[in-house]
Amino acid sequence: QVQLVESGGGLVQAGGSLRLSCAASGSILSVRTMGWYRQPPGKQRELVAEITSGGNTNYADSVKGRFTISRDNAKNTVYLQMHSLKPEDTAVYYCNAAVTAPWPTGPRDYWGQGTQVTVSS
């Protein structure tokens, strides 16, 4: 059984910063790409940022220059450092990880439970 546990959400004023963390635990052989998605109220879930096991990153245009994704492969943990937050960043943020578990599970995607980020104007 693989679990992703997120932490670090909360309420912050516009211009402020927050750091999200997501740790993968359980029966894990390897973790490939890890990422953060968000779902604003009334909208679809969208990619925020992702990072490969080798450290290559990809960001949504709306967060480039403000958010930084990083990971600790030894801890199977991914982080999202968010600066200069805007009210439009308000959303539930979900962690995603491509995990290979032992047979018979094999490779599949896992999602965290979501953490609320609210940015007040």
Side-chain angles (χ1 to χ4, degrees):
Q1 190 78 5
V2 175
Q3 288 187 323
L4 301 184
V5 179
E6 301 148 345
S7 60
L11 173 64
V12 65
Q13 289 188 333
S17 299
L18 281 175
R19 187 189 194 216
L20 306 182
S21 300
C22 170
S25 63
S27 189
I28 296 172
L29 295 179
S30 65
V31 182
R32 300 179 306 285
T33 300
M34 302 185 80
W36 290 95
Y37 289 71
R38 67 186 181 187
Q39 187 164 15
K43 297 185 178 180
Q44 290 188 333
R45 192 174 299 189
E46 61 184 10
L47 174 67
V48 176
E50 59 187 356
I51 182 168
T52 67
S53 56
N56 293 318
T57 59
N58 179 44
Y59 294 92
D61 288 342
S62 59
V63 307
K64 284 180 181 177
R66 299 188 298 122
F67 292 9
T68 301
I69 190 170
S70 61
R71 64 188 284 173
D72 184 332
N73 289 333
K75 296 180 180 180
N76 290 329
T77 299
V78 63
Y79 307 95
L80 186 68
Q81 180 67 56
M82 304 183 290
H83 294 298
S84 302
L85 283 160
K86 305 175 181 180
E88 51 264 43
D89 294 318
T90 294
V92 178
Y93 283 69
Y94 295 91
C95 174
N96 173 269
V99 177
T100 298
W103 185 90
T105 302
R108 56 160 287 187
D109 273 7
Y110 292 86
W111 292 91
Q113 78 282 3
T115 185
Q116 177 70 45
V117 171
T118 302
V119 184
S120 63
S121 57

